[in-house]
């Protein structure tokens, strides 16, 4: 165990009444490509200019200050779950029953911080692989 330094997360303001909101279920820790990150599932209000949700990754280096390193654009709203599989960030969207896959090593040409999914959303329904032989 090691103590991490304090850092701030950019929170969206929820109107009527205006207040800041951060839920325990919207925060997760992950090691991606050998580096520790805090993943923050940022929901936007329906009236905001950016109505879709996003996952904001904060890099937590051992010796220096924490900083925002990546923003994963989800292009939808609703309830989500986060997983890391082979250094890929997998975001599961509950209502559409699909998953989005992000690779933070792939850089977008216009911005090194913002990422779009590497594939279109895929169904999360179980898949059976037929067995051959006995």
């Amino acid at each position: 165990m090691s103590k991490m330094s304090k850092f701030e997360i950019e929170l969206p303001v929820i109107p009527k009444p205006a207040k800041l909101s951060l839920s325990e279920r919207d925060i997760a820790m992950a090691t991606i490509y050998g580096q520790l990150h805090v993943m923050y599932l940022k929901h936007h209000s329906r009236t905001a200019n950016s109505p879709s949700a996003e996952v904001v990754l904060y890099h937590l280096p051992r010796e220096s200050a924490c900083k925002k390193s990546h923003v994963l654009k989800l292009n939808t709203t609703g309830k989500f779950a986060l997983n890391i599989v082979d250094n890929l960030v997998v975001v599961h969207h509950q209502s559409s029953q699909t998953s989005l896959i992000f690779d933070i090593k792939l850089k977008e040409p216009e911005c090194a911080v913002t990422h779009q999914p590497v594939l279109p959303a895929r169904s999360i329904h179980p898949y059976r692989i037929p067995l051959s032989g006995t």
Side-chain angles (χ1 to χ4, degrees):
M1 294 193 82
S2 58
K3 183 178 179 180
M4 306 305 292
S5 59
K6 292 181 181 181
F7 66 97
E8 292 184 14
I9 292 179
E10 299 169 7
L11 296 175
V13 175
I14 299 174
K16 296 181 186 173
K19 64 176 184 173
L20 297 176
S21 174
L22 179 63
S23 172
E24 177 182 320
R25 67 176 178 246
D26 293 334
I27 298 289
M29 301 284 292
T31 300
I32 307 170
Y33 290 110
Q35 298 181 336
L36 185 61
H37 290 83
V38 171
M39 300 187 303
Y40 166 45
L41 181 56
K42 186 176 184 180
H43 300 278
H44 293 283
S45 67
R46 297 187 195 279
T47 60
N49 292 339
S50 175
S52 64
E54 57 193 22
V55 177
V56 182
L57 280 86
Y58 292 87
H59 179 224
L60 290 171
R62 287 187 181 266
E63 301 300 322
S64 59
C66 175
K67 66 175 186 171
K68 179 166 65 169
S69 59
H70 302 278
V71 178
L72 312 179
K73 296 293 188 179
L74 302 180
N75 302 319
T76 189
T77 60
K79 293 185 180 180
F80 299 93
L82 300 170
N83 287 105
I84 304 299
V85 179
D86 293 333
N87 295 311
L88 299 175
V89 180
V90 183
V91 182
H92 310 285
H93 185 234
Q94 183 180 20
S95 60
S96 68
Q97 296 185 345
T98 58
S99 296
L100 299 165
I101 299 172
F102 295 88
D103 187 351
I104 64 171
K105 285 281 188 179
L106 295 178
K107 304 283 189 216
E108 297 290 326
E110 64 275 0
C111 180
V113 175
T114 304
H115 299 273
Q116 296 291 333
V118 294
L119 295 169
R122 300 290 182 198
S123 172
I124 57 177
H125 290 291
Y127 181 78
R128 290 184 180 232
I129 300 173
L131 296 175
S132 60
T134 57

